[in-house]
Amino acid sequence: MNAERDLSPLTPGVVRALTDKLYEKRKVAALEIEKLVREFVAQNNTSQIKHVIQILSQEFALSQHPHSRKGGLIGLAACSIALGKDSGLYLKELIEPVLTCFNDADSRLRYYACEALYNIVKVARGSVLPHFNVLFDGLSKLAADPDPNVKSGSELLDRLLKDIVTESNQFDLVGFIPLLRERIYSNNQYARQFIISWILVLESVPDINLLDYLPEILDGLFQILGDNSKEIRKMCEVALGEFLKEIKKNPSSVKFAEMANILVIHCQATDDLIQLTAMCWMREFIQLAGRVMLPYSSGILTAVLPCLSYDDRKKNIKEVANVCNQSLMKLVIPEDDEMDEAKPSMTIPAEPASEESLSKPEAVAAGKSQNELDVTALNQPLFFPCSCERIQVTLNLDGIVQVLDYHLSDTSIGMMTRIAVLKWLYHLYIKTPRKMFRHTDSLFPILLRTLSDESDEVILKDLELLAEIASSPAGQTEEGHGPSDGSDVQPGPVELHVPARAGQLNSSSTKGLEFSPSTPTMNSYFYKFMINLLKRFSSERKLLETRGAFIIRQLCLLLNAENIFHSMADILLREEDLKFASTMVHTLNTILLTSSELFQLRNQLKDLKTPESRNLFCCLYRSWCHNPVTTVSLCFLTQNYKHAYDLIQKFGDLEVTVDFLTEVDKLVQLIECPIFTYLRLQLLDVKNNPYLIKALYGLLMLLPQSSAFQLLSQRLQCVPNPELMQTTDNTKPSTSFKRTAASNIDYTELLQHFEMVQNKHLEARHQRAGRAEQLDRRVVV
């Protein structure tokens, strides 16, 4: 550097000392500069002061020579010390060159720059706040400096700046937030630690309300929470904890809606701490904000539902998620069924809380396949409220149903999640039935498929939901707009053939349902459900074998048993797959005779006192004809012993197979069960029940010499001699004959129907046998 240049008022000696490589000489020069500037201050010579600062900045601090830069830095610090309280007038000129040196490649020079800025800030104190953003920006870089000395110096400067901010009431938070929002996404551990420390400081200042700007930085905080450093994670936990405390204290001033989507995203994080913390925040948000969170229900459910199936390793997350789920469910009220689904005047397009807050979901969405559920799309609310003010909230039912449908369709999803989904759907049908029935046709197939679930609890919840759909008054549809016969259900290899008129109950069946005493009204989905349930059993024979009885028994508890048997019998009457019809009738008959749930229905059929019970008997009988032995058992149940005897006489014309004899064997076992106690007691009244005894002897003659034969033979040996049972009152007519005479049932027509159905079965068996024989011949050829 040319010392003779116009660097006055700096003397050549000062100039040479400032560029010296020894620190002591530069320090002496700085003292001279300090003395010189003090004189200018005393003279109020501002032009000279500016000139000195300009020389130190341009000719030294920004010089290409490293020693000159070091001299410039210490000289600028000396100027600030000399200026004292007046340094605030020249802070821009003093700070900028020093901050430029923060980027110097020489670590010692960065350290001197840090030292110089510390002295400048120490003198200026509160006057530096207008320049806070540039200082913060520079410090955030030094916090991640690889040199320990530089880092140590930056920490001293950082503490000083924090003290100034804490004691001042003029901090420009609005101007600082954009910078904080940008820096919070740094991946450097030290920079993150620096950011969190500043957030904690700003939170602690009473005059600074950082809570108003939490939506700007919340996403970044959750990302920092996933840092590898335990210390940083702990600091971030503390900061988030403080924010949550503040939210609980002042919920009315919290922008819940702006942070809802951020929480939804982090509730799905792979990091356990992030997920647990976000879920805890979500729990508090739902409880504090209430219905303000409803527009975000689809996104919340997307995040919460999978957590319900976590094992004990994530027990804490599972428990909090369960609370979130229950709390959110309680927010849905019957009034939601009355509100319009969309009110353009009230809806505001949703905007992201910040550009950064979308960085994570965009990355997640980019990694998803097109077949997966678009979570970010579901998170979009119908409006964007700024606080939890009392405003009308519209339930986005379409989005919720889409999420529930997705999770129920996903075969990899856990059992508890499937149960929660079914509980949600049931709750929605209870609270908002009118709106939910718009989705019933799309939900029906998956609800039917869920009946094949491995879990009994899932099936129970599914049946509860299907029963609610089938019995809800909201499911009544106008003529021409009713549900289809199950065309939306994809049948398996074996299809239940139901003619077009099976979609509606015939006139006689309808009367039977309408006139049943104390029977809840079934809507248009009830018959559709019965048709599709039988179709399911037909296409999945394993389901019928393993869960058929369980499903039907539960439905008899949830719905009216008479309606179920009446409708199934009506459908099976027209079934073209005769083998399935026979199997299904056998299943229904076993349930009817053995299930405790059907005690009332058995008593109703046992007496046949009412037109409804006789109508039901005739309906069941016509379908029961698909299976000869079950038809006889139905006659035994209804005490139609003469007709039972007539049927057994017809058995001689039937093809007696091993399966047929096995069913007769089972019927004999049933006769010995408590259900037929009344029948066994009637054997004492030989005179009035001759056809009962004849029918039992008929069964005995059908059986080969087996254990069942011995059992029935021993029972019949106990029948007393009619002479010994003679009573004094011989004029009293038999009650059984009275009932039969009063029933007005055309048993001749029923017997003809039995013969017709059995002829069809015989023909079908021969056709199957013929096809099997042809197939065997082809194999031999």
Side-chain angles (χ1 to χ4, degrees), residues 72-364:
L73 289 170
I74 197 170
L76 289 169
C79 286
S80 178
I81 293 169
L83 288 168
K85 63 181 182 179
D86 293 332
S87 62
L89 300 171
Y90 309 95
L91 275 177
K92 187 174 184 297
E93 292 82 1
L94 290 168
I95 289 173
E96 285 184 355
V98 177
L99 288 173
T100 302
C101 292
F102 276 12
N103 300 317
D104 200 285
D106 187 349
S107 60
R108 287 178 300 172
L109 213 147
R110 294 198 301 276
Y111 175 78
Y112 288 133
C114 193
E115 185 181 50
L117 190 57
Y118 178 87
N119 287 317
I120 293 170
V121 171
K122 187 177 181 180
V123 172
R125 302 295 295 182
S127 300
V128 301
L129 289 178
H131 307 278
F132 178 80
N133 279 15
V134 291
L135 295 175
F136 183 88
D137 184 52
L139 270 176
S140 65
K141 295 173 183 175
L142 288 187
D145 198 284
D147 188 273
N149 291 325
V150 176
K151 198 179 297 179
S152 176
S154 71
E155 288 172 1
L156 287 172
L157 176 57
D158 181 50
R159 282 198 292 271
L160 174 62
L161 202 55
K162 284 172 181 171
D163 289 341
I164 293 170
V165 170
T166 303
E167 65 191 24
S168 172
N169 58 359
Q170 298 178 345
F171 182 71
D172 182 15
L173 185 61
V174 176
F176 172 60
I177 288 297
L179 179 62
L180 178 62
R181 187 178 61 201
E182 177 191 341
R183 288 285 182 266
I184 203 168
Y185 285 97
S186 172
N187 290 322
N188 184 278
Q189 286 189 354
Y190 298 106
R192 285 180 163 182
Q193 195 169 11
F194 172 77
I195 293 291
I196 293 295
S197 67
W198 266 102
I199 290 173
L200 286 168
V201 166
L202 294 175
E203 271 190 291
S204 66
V205 180
D207 294 334
I208 297 176
N209 188 11
L210 195 57
L211 191 61
D212 285 346
Y213 302 94
L214 183 57
E216 304 283 331
I217 61 173
L218 185 62
D219 180 62
L221 282 172
F222 272 106
Q223 293 205 24
I224 292 176
L225 191 61
D227 195 272
N228 294 327
S229 167
K230 289 183 179 179
E231 184 181 354
I232 294 174
R233 288 165 77 103
K234 187 64 181 175
M235 286 177 67
C236 194
E237 270 192 276
V238 171
L240 286 167
E242 290 299 319
F243 275 122
L244 197 55
K245 286 180 186 176
E246 193 67 25
I247 288 170
K248 291 179 183 179
K249 287 180 185 176
N250 306 293
S252 59
S253 61
V254 179
K255 300 173 182 177
F256 289 106
E258 294 185 30
M259 294 182 278
N261 284 341
I262 297 171
L263 294 183
V264 166
I265 292 163
H266 293 289
C267 280
Q268 300 169 75
T270 53
D271 184 281
D272 288 355
L273 180 60
I274 295 176
Q275 191 176 26
L276 177 60
T277 307
M279 201 67 74
C280 289
W281 275 62
M282 184 66 78
R283 176 190 62 196
E284 299 300 330
F285 271 40
I286 295 170
Q287 293 175 353
L288 293 171
R291 287 178 58 82
V292 169
M293 300 296 287
L294 265 187
Y296 304 89
S297 297
S298 55
I300 296 170
L301 287 173
T302 300
V304 167
L305 288 173
C307 301
L308 301 178
S309 293
Y310 282 172
D311 54 25
D312 287 342
R313 288 174 294 179
K314 295 186 177 183
K315 185 179 178 182
N316 292 340
I317 299 173
K318 180 180 178 179
E319 289 174 352
V320 179
N322 189 49
V323 175
C324 289
N325 183 54
Q326 297 296 329
S327 301
L328 187 65
M329 194 180 291
K330 291 175 183 175
L331 298 181
V332 181
I333 56 177
E335 285 75 9
D336 288 317
D337 206 29
E338 300 165 8
M339 297 175 186
D340 292 334
E341 291 254 5
K343 292 187 178 180
S345 60
M346 295 176 58
T347 57
I348 301 173
E351 296 177 1
S354 67
E355 291 179 9
E356 289 80 8
S357 68
L358 287 182
S359 60
K360 182 171 181 176
E362 285 172 355
V364 171

Side-chain angles (χ1 to χ4, degrees), residues 429 433-445 447-448 465-478 481-486 488 503 505 521-533 555 559 567 571:
Y429 271 104
R434 185 178 59 84
K435 289 183 179 178
M436 277 303 295
F437 267 95
R438 300 172 191 172
H439 300 278
T440 300
D441 283 335
S442 62
L443 287 171
F444 218 70
L447 294 178
L448 286 165
L465 175 56
L466 286 165
E468 177 59 30
I469 292 172
S471 59
S472 174
Q476 296 288 3
T477 55
E478 297 178 6
H481 299 281
S484 63
D485 288 345
D488 50 351
L505 288 168
T521 305
M522 299 295 117
N523 61 32
S524 52
Y525 280 93
F526 173 77
Y527 207 72
K528 175 188 179 183
F529 177 30
M530 294 297 106
I531 291 173
N532 282 276
L533 180 59
L555 284 175
L559 297 169
S567 59
I571 296 164

